[in-house]
Amino acid sequence: MAKDKLTFSISKINLLIILIILALLFLPIPSYQLKPVACPLMFRQDGGDLPCPAAEKGWVLSKSVFFRIADLIKNNFFYPPQQGQSEAVPGDAGVIDSEEPGEE
């Protein structure tokens, strides 16, 4: 009993187009922005603290188009904001009051 064979063929131009589309979807996107800078949280022996280095602008690789679309779908459809929950962050969120305890 002879088995039937299934052959699959694709032209070189179609293969090239598919590879370009996949590269655009999955390769990270370079963007010119402020580079993340690590700020040391150590103190010197003489009591002075080390200043944080100044932020520089430069090229940073960010998420690919595929993962940006996946995050958009995940955050909007699977975890939508609850009723009464605002999407905007208040202006003073994350600000720590620099007053010492007991000072007014």
Side-chain angles (χ1 to χ4, degrees):
M1 185 176 194
K3 293 187 177 183
D4 293 332
K5 291 184 179 181
L6 179 66
T7 57
F8 178 75
S9 65
I10 186 168
S11 67
K12 290 181 181 180
I13 189 75
N14 286 343
L15 184 63
L16 182 65
I17 291 171
I18 290 170
L19 289 176
I20 290 172
I21 290 172
L22 287 174
L24 290 174
L25 278 176
F26 290 104
L27 289 178
I29 301 170
S31 62
Y32 191 73
Q33 63 184 20
L34 288 176
K35 292 195 280 186
V37 178
C39 184
L41 296 175
M42 299 186 312
F43 294 97
R44 294 191 309 219
Q45 291 291 337
D46 60 356
D49 55 342
L50 297 173
C52 291
E56 300 175 346
K57 281 197 156 200
W59 289 100
V60 178
L61 293 177
S62 60
K63 289 183 178 180
S64 67
V65 174
F66 175 79
F67 290 109
R68 287 181 187 215
I69 293 171
D71 285 343
L72 182 72
I73 292 171
K74 178 184 76 170
N75 293 333
N76 288 331
F77 294 121
F78 295 116
Y79 303 107
Q82 301 297 323
Q83 180 120 10
Q85 179 183 4
S86 66
E87 293 185 37
V89 177
D92 59 348
V95 175
I96 299 172
D97 192 10
S98 63
E99 288 184 8
E100 293 292 325
E103 288 184 15
E104 299 264 342

